[in-house]
Amino acid sequence: MPPLTNGQGALSPRAIPEAAVARLAVYLRVLSGMKEQGITTVSSEELSVAAGVNSAKLRKDLSYIGTYGTRGVGYEVEVLIDQIERVLGLTREQSVAVVGIGNLGHALANYGGFPGRGFPVTALFDVDPDLMGVPVGGIPVNHIDDIASVCAAKEITIGVIATPPAAAQVVCDRLVQAGVECILNFAPVVLQVPETVEVRKVDLAVELQILSFHQARRADSAPSGETAPQPRSNGRVNGSPRHSVENRPNGAVVRR
């Protein structure tokens, strides 16, 4: 059985709860912003407010990586950034491939925020012959038949699947065969992968459905007699033209 700690009081990455890992990524984003602003130390209360969690949960999360701060001072921003980056594996070189250069693939390839976070997109793949060799975000598009050779040459560590659902499993299989062990899947399907491969699924429709559920629950719990505000469109309320009303001194009412 592998050790649960790294010998320095911190849990090994595999022993940290997944929910805590997700929050560590949020803390890192917040801390990076603080560093850019010249902030050198931060209290747990300040960091928890900025990250949108309670301070007790934040301190628990940071204890997983072996850091407890200094009483009366808090945490050194730069040191904490280094610790979180090490736990999240961001001190290693990453290289990302995007498969499926439709609207979503184009957006991902052109997004400038990935390189700064340590995830440069270095390879693009599609099956459309009109896209072959065309640069998107400065990177030429390759055919998916070349996934194995290009992934080896570019040392791809993460594959992003942005294909239609029917093609996702085939693409996933090719990425796995090319040695890619981390996959981010935007296709609304469940991928079958070996146990050694980590898959994260992003389904925007599901997220919208969850938001719809919360909206419906709030509406159902509203006090009787209260109604939600009606949407406005082109100066209309409930489908009728919206007027301003002005009372004149002579008692006349003028609608505008």
Side-chain angles (χ1 to χ4, degrees), residues 113-138:
F114 290 143
R117 299 284 184 87
F119 299 96
V121 176
T122 59
L124 304 175
F125 300 95
D126 204 280
V127 294
D128 186 346
D130 293 335
L131 287 176
M132 296 304 103
V134 175
V136 178

Side-chain angles (χ1 to χ4, degrees), residues 194-225:
E195 291 184 359
T196 55
V197 175
E198 187 72 26
V199 176
R200 298 288 297 180
K201 188 173 185 298
V202 180
D203 192 326
L204 299 180
V206 168
E207 298 302 324
L208 290 171
Q209 289 165 353
I210 293 171
L211 288 174
S212 176
F213 162 77
H214 289 296
Q215 182 186 43
R217 187 172 64 175
R218 281 197 297 271
D220 291 341
S221 62
S224 178

Side-chain angles (χ1 to χ4, degrees), residues 103-191:
N103 291 333
L104 177 58
H106 268 82
L108 294 171
N110 281 294
Y111 179 55
F114 290 143
R117 299 284 184 87
F119 299 96
V121 176
T122 59
L124 304 175
F125 300 95
D126 204 280
V127 294
D128 186 346
D130 293 335
L131 287 176
M132 296 304 103
V134 175
V136 178
I139 304 167
V141 178
N142 301 281
H143 196 277
I144 63 169
D145 288 344
D146 298 324
I147 282 180
S149 59
V150 174
C151 284
K154 299 287 187 179
E155 298 183 337
I156 299 298
T157 56
I158 299 174
V160 179
I161 298 177
T163 67
Q169 185 63 58
V170 172
V171 167
C172 177
D173 292 342
R174 294 198 180 198
L175 288 170
V176 172
Q177 290 166 8
V180 178
E181 295 184 335
C182 294
I183 294 174
L184 181 62
N185 177 33
F186 282 92
V189 294
V190 176
L191 299 175

